[in-house]
Amino acid sequence: METPSITIHQFPPFLQMQASPFGLKLETWLRMKKIPYETEVSFTKMGPKNKVPFATINNEVIGDSELIIDRIEKETGTAGSVAPAQVTNSNDILIRRMVEEHMYFVLMHSRWIDDDGWAVFQPLVFGHIPSIFRSIISRKIRKIVRRNLMAQGISRHSSSEIYAKGAIDIAALSGALGNKQYFMGKEPGLVDASAYGFLANLLYAPLRSPLLAAVKKYPNLVAYGDRMRREIWPNSPRGGGELIA
């Protein structure tokens, strides 16, 4: 089957790595599968679902990392190429949903809402904007993110409550990994791409938060992150997605 033309549209790597866990998940999965792709970066260009990342596959624009992966599997004939246990094991779905539908929003809180996190994150993400406009634009976007997190629900809790929830998720992630090399066994799969996209953004980004402290309590998660980085992103100075070959 002919390899499709794939361009992944991402945010620029302003953390010296890909700051979007979903974007890093997508590139990590493509590297796992050894599927060639190109990247284009922009702070302002959004996909068809008004989200980033999105992909152009054979000139068709597709949004949402999971839908992108589904489409690429069909185009490349790799659907079902993961181990059967990964297809049938409900833990795969449960772990991905916890990471992508809950832990992600705790990470967003740590960067955009927590004042300590924002003090470090804001100059990194908005540093390319002329200083005369930087404060105005960053405050406006922070307000939008705050409104979205309130609608999602996580920002209805206090910061300490949010981080406590995140710590429980991280403990559960550590328990799910146990002493295995990968979440579903000896070979990495989509769940590992998802978990790595999140963990790498804690372990290797130039940011500090209670979430990072929580991850460091679990040696198996730290070793897992290092192993994934070594195997999937061997030339990365941080966690991956720096537009490197």
Side-chain angles (χ1 to χ4, degrees):
M1 186 172 290
E2 187 175 345
T3 302
S5 169
I6 302 170
T7 300
I8 304 301
H9 303 270
Q10 299 270 42
F11 290 120
F14 57 85
L15 296 183
Q16 303 161 37
M17 61 177 289
Q18 181 48 241
S20 163
F22 296 99
L24 188 53
K25 160 197 168 182
L26 184 52
E27 287 197 58
T28 297
W29 182 84
L30 286 163
R31 283 171 167 253
M32 281 180 185
K33 298 298 181 181
K34 297 180 171 55
I35 298 172
Y37 67 96
E38 296 181 349
T39 57
E40 290 186 2
V41 299
S42 172
F43 275 111
T44 58
K45 191 175 181 180
M46 296 289 111
K49 297 180 183 293
N50 201 33
K51 297 196 300 183
V52 174
F54 63 99
T56 302
I57 304 173
N58 290 339
N59 297 317
E60 182 180 354
V61 180
I62 301 172
D64 185 88
S65 63
E66 192 167 305
L67 297 179
I68 292 167
I69 288 171
D70 285 346
R71 178 59 177 271
I72 294 172
E73 284 184 327
K74 293 172 183 175
E75 292 282 347
T76 60
T78 57
S81 61
V82 294
Q86 293 178 352
V87 177
T88 60
N89 194 330
S90 60
N91 287 339
D92 177 289
I93 298 293
L94 293 172
I95 292 168
R96 283 194 283 128
R97 292 296 181 261
M98 179 181 73
V99 169
E100 297 179 9
E101 305 296 340
H102 190 264
M103 295 173 74
Y104 168 73
F105 293 105
V106 181
L107 176 66
M108 288 287 284
H109 169 85
S110 74
R111 292 177 171 181
W112 289 89
I113 309 304
D114 184 312
D115 288 333
D116 291 336
W118 175 248
V120 178
F121 184 71
Q122 189 261 10
L124 291 172
V125 67
F126 295 103
H128 66 288
I129 298 174
S131 58
I132 191 171
F133 302 116
R134 189 178 305 151
S135 179
I136 296 171
I137 293 173
S138 65
R139 283 201 306 268
K140 180 179 179 180
I141 297 179
R142 190 188 192 195
K143 185 176 181 180
I144 292 171
V145 172
R146 189 187 300 274
R147 184 170 65 241
N148 290 343
L149 292 181
M150 183 66 72
Q152 185 273 337
I154 197 72
S155 284
R156 297 176 188 275
H157 304 289
S158 69
S159 191
S160 62
E161 290 169 339
I162 292 168
Y163 285 128
K165 288 174 177 288
I168 291 171
D169 288 348
I170 289 167
L173 199 62
S174 173
L177 179 62
N179 59 7
K180 300 188 296 295
Q181 280 190 300
Y182 305 102
F183 279 95
M184 294 295 113
K186 295 182 179 180
E187 298 293 332
L190 178 54
V191 63
D192 295 286
S194 179
Y196 180 76
F198 174 80
L199 289 171
N201 265 282
L202 293 177
L203 289 168
Y204 311 124
L207 304 169
R208 294 293 179 268
S209 78
L211 289 176
L212 174 60
V215 170
K216 286 188 172 181
K217 291 180 180 179
Y218 299 98
N220 66 334
L221 292 181
V222 176
Y224 169 82
D226 290 345
R227 181 166 56 254
M228 286 285 292
R229 180 173 66 165
R230 185 169 57 250
E231 294 179 1
I232 308 299
W233 295 95
N235 299 320
S236 173
R238 287 197 178 271
E242 305 94 335
L243 307 179
I244 58 179

